[in-house]
Amino acid sequence: MSQIMHGDKQAQELKAVPLSDGAISRRITEMAQDIKSQLIDRVKRGKDALQLEESIDVANSAQLLVFVRYSFDGKLHEDMRFCTTLSAKCTDGAAAMLGKNKGLKARVVQVAPHINSTRCMIHREVLENCLLLSATKWDQSINVCFSTQKSGGCHGETFSGACLSCGTRLAHLACIFDKLNGLNTSVQVENANIVSLNDKINAFKRKLDRWAARGFITMHLQTLLEHFIKFFAEEKAPEKYDWIRSPFTVTSTHHLSSDIEDALVELSSDRTLKSAFNSKMLAAEFWISVEREYPQLSKAAIDILMPFGSTYLCEKTFSTLTYIKNKYRSRLNVQDDLRVAMPKIKPRMDLLGSKHIAHPSHTF
């Protein structure tokens, strides 16, 4: 990099700078600790939400990765809280994570009974199960088709018709996989909340219902829709969050408490705030901005918008972990490297540099 930016002469001079075998590691640790210190100071100021996921690294160790979402400087921010090695291994949905008696969820509730928890709404396993469960009969029929050909049990015309039917079904499966992948990709975004993800899932269920009504492989689509409804239960009253999405146009607020409803009436009558709401890119930014004037109303909205709807950030960071901790560095304690590799909080280099004494041979 130095050669590209400054030329060969400066690059050769940089190579001559003596560094101990632990110099780079120490500096990574110092930057990571500074980032961590800033993050803790931010999180302490208010409420936060956690997102966590476990995965196995190249050394066959279970790594627990935790992200935190918090309010700071008028916005919701998302940063890595920590990454640590677990003594036991678990998989998505296992008792070690979601068990009612001894799982992580149960232990957290024992300490903080007021918390709420949600399972990742877009986990690939759930989406794949929806499709695979409903496609089982098709797989069997396709296998029967080709097994019959091998055994010579079909005449030419009969087999040709069977192959055409199998081909149509395979084409349909490929199309559905493409639609599911599109759904999966569309919800893998930062700053996503439960409300917005629910809207996307409900939209896909409505499309499945429409496709089935138009006669496209009706039985399979209906079965797929049933599995989607099973894994993603329909909200009993989806309109109950409309006041958060559109506080100036909402009409149904009877489910809110009297105090919150009165505050919403007052807020929705403020034309200045209406202009501010229209200029905000995210609803969370607006509700954070009115915290001082409407604290109760703001708190109720942020309580809905704060929780994570998926483990997208964890899954994304595991890709970075796999790159950093590879077979050549299988004993690496990866937490500090991860914190420095993808920080949204920048290390305070001036502060870190002031703690070191400059030497003639090298500087920090």
Side-chain angles (χ1 to χ4, degrees), residues 42-92:
R42 291 183 178 190
V43 173
K44 282 182 177 179
R45 300 182 184 184
K47 295 188 63 176
D48 61 88
L50 296 177
Q51 169 190 148
L52 55 93
E53 181 65 288
E54 176 266 353
S55 184
I56 306 299
D57 62 22
V58 68
N60 203 32
S61 299
Q63 297 286 347
L64 177 66
L65 190 58
V66 179
F67 271 78
V68 60
R69 177 182 284 170
Y70 58 93
S71 173
F72 176 75
D73 198 23
K75 298 180 180 179
L76 289 183
H77 294 258
E78 300 169 337
D79 287 290
M80 191 187 86
R81 182 63 183 85
F82 65 86
C83 177
T84 188
T85 303
L86 299 176
S87 58
K89 300 173 185 177
C90 57
T91 56
D92 181 66

Side-chain angles (χ1 to χ4, degrees), residues 32-312:
Q33 291 302 314
D34 181 67
I35 295 171
K36 178 182 177 181
S37 176
Q38 294 182 68
L39 175 60
I40 292 175
D41 289 340
R42 291 183 178 190
V43 173
K44 282 182 177 179
R45 300 182 184 184
K47 295 188 63 176
D48 61 88
L50 296 177
Q51 169 190 148
L52 55 93
E53 181 65 288
E54 176 266 353
S55 184
I56 306 299
D57 62 22
V58 68
N60 203 32
S61 299
Q63 297 286 347
L64 177 66
L65 190 58
V66 179
F67 271 78
V68 60
R69 177 182 284 170
Y70 58 93
S71 173
F72 176 75
D73 198 23
K75 298 180 180 179
L76 289 183
H77 294 258
E78 300 169 337
D79 287 290
M80 191 187 86
R81 182 63 183 85
F82 65 86
C83 177
T84 188
T85 303
L86 299 176
S87 58
K89 300 173 185 177
C90 57
T91 56
D92 181 66
M97 295 294 286
L98 300 177
K100 295 181 180 180
N101 298 320
K102 297 183 179 180
L104 173 64
K105 176 182 175 181
R107 297 193 178 200
V108 172
V109 170
Q110 289 177 1
V111 179
H114 60 282
I115 70 160
N116 294 317
S117 64
T118 58
R119 187 181 177 185
C120 176
M121 294 175 60
I122 60 169
H123 200 286
R124 187 178 297 273
E125 180 182 357
V126 174
L127 295 180
E128 288 178 350
N129 283 343
C130 287
L131 181 60
L132 294 176
L133 286 171
S134 58
T136 302
K137 293 183 179 180
W138 281 22
D139 292 338
Q140 293 173 353
S141 64
I142 292 170
N143 288 333
V144 168
C145 172
F146 287 100
S147 296
T148 304
Q149 180 198 26
K150 292 179 180 179
S151 63
C154 268
H155 295 291
E157 294 182 359
T158 305
F159 179 72
S160 177
C163 284
L164 180 61
S165 176
C166 290
T168 302
R169 293 177 177 182
L170 285 173
H172 175 70
L173 281 176
C175 182
I176 291 297
F177 266 117
D178 181 65
K179 297 297 184 182
L180 283 172
N181 286 334
L183 171 65
N184 206 350
T185 302
S186 71
V187 294
Q188 293 185 35
V189 293
E190 297 182 1
N191 294 311
N193 53 66
I194 295 175
V195 175
S196 62
L197 295 185
N198 262 328
D199 289 343
K200 291 182 179 293
I201 295 295
N202 289 334
F204 191 81
K205 288 192 289 187
R206 290 177 61 187
K207 286 192 288 186
L208 283 176
D209 191 36
R210 185 177 66 86
W211 295 336
R214 293 174 64 180
F216 296 143
I217 323 292
T218 304
M219 184 178 297
H220 175 250
L221 288 174
Q222 193 61 43
T223 305
L224 180 59
L225 178 59
E226 290 173 1
H227 286 297
F228 248 90
I229 294 174
K230 176 183 177 181
F231 287 112
F232 303 101
E234 192 77 32
E235 284 277 357
K236 294 182 179 179
E239 69 280 359
K240 66 182 179 181
Y241 298 134
D242 287 350
W243 69 273
I244 299 176
R245 300 184 183 95
S246 306
F248 296 93
T249 58
V250 65
T251 57
S252 177
T253 59
H254 61 275
H255 59 284
L256 300 175
S257 67
S258 178
D259 292 341
I260 292 181
E261 193 169 7
D262 288 345
L264 183 60
V265 169
E266 185 177 345
L267 178 143
S268 61
S269 302
D270 192 322
R271 300 184 66 85
T272 302
L273 287 180
K274 183 177 181 179
S275 299
F277 178 81
N278 293 332
S279 65
K280 298 290 185 182
M281 294 297 293
L282 299 173
E285 294 181 12
F286 171 78
W287 289 112
I288 293 173
S289 69
V290 299
E291 184 176 7
R292 290 186 178 180
E293 191 172 358
Y294 301 97
Q296 192 175 8
L297 195 61
S298 173
K299 179 181 180 301
I302 295 301
D303 284 347
I304 301 300
L305 298 174
M306 179 76 76
F308 289 99
S310 73
T311 57
Y312 162 67

